[in-house]
Amino acid sequence: MEDFWNNRYKEKEFAYGTSPNVFFKNTINKLNLDGTLLLPAEGEGRNAVYAAKKGLNVLAFDISEEGRNKAVELARSEDVKIEYKVGELNQLDLKKNSFDALALIYAHFAANEKEQLHKDLAELIKPNGYLILEGFSVNNLELREKNPKVGGPANRDMLYSKQEIKDTFNNFEIIEL
């Protein structure tokens, strides 16, 4: 997967643009978050930079060195600071209960890793902290069949269902699902 994402992000143009994800932006604004934010699978940094502009202390990570390079440059051009690491969660030294919020924005993981990875990420959030998640639903496969240009993983096991989210993040109060 590293090669896939490095190839995707090595182009001069940003693969997903430089504006933040709309759901992420609206949620950050609605919750009026402050403190620390963890952004796994952050890619080229558009959400990290937006959060930093809102005053959050941001730690982002991704497996792509090319994504990190673009994120750091984007932060520099927007005159904000973000911390950005390259690697997988198990390679990083992150402490439990150390982030006020965690945002998984279209962060899809291999089926054999997903549940444990989500639980490990959830443990990094402070009590009464927030989890912001937007991803492709299992219903996305039907949309992909009708229109091959529709994005998202083709592997059903990498997609989300409402029940899976409720089960995996059962220690959280759901505000919106």
Side-chain angles (χ1 to χ4, degrees), residues 18 50 63-64 66 107 167:
T18 57
Y50 179 78
I63 59 173
S64 171
E66 295 289 342
D167 292 345

Side-chain angles (χ1 to χ4, degrees), residues 77-112:
S77 73
E78 294 291 327
D79 199 28
V80 295
K81 293 196 183 325
I82 61 171
E83 184 177 356
Y84 198 114
K85 298 183 179 199
V86 175
E88 296 185 19
L89 179 62
N90 63 1
Q91 299 168 324
L92 307 175
D93 185 27
L94 302 177
K95 307 243 182 297
K96 291 182 181 181
N97 301 318
S98 58
F99 294 92
D100 295 296
L102 163 73
L104 292 168
I105 305 300
Y106 291 103
H108 293 271
F109 306 105
N112 62 333

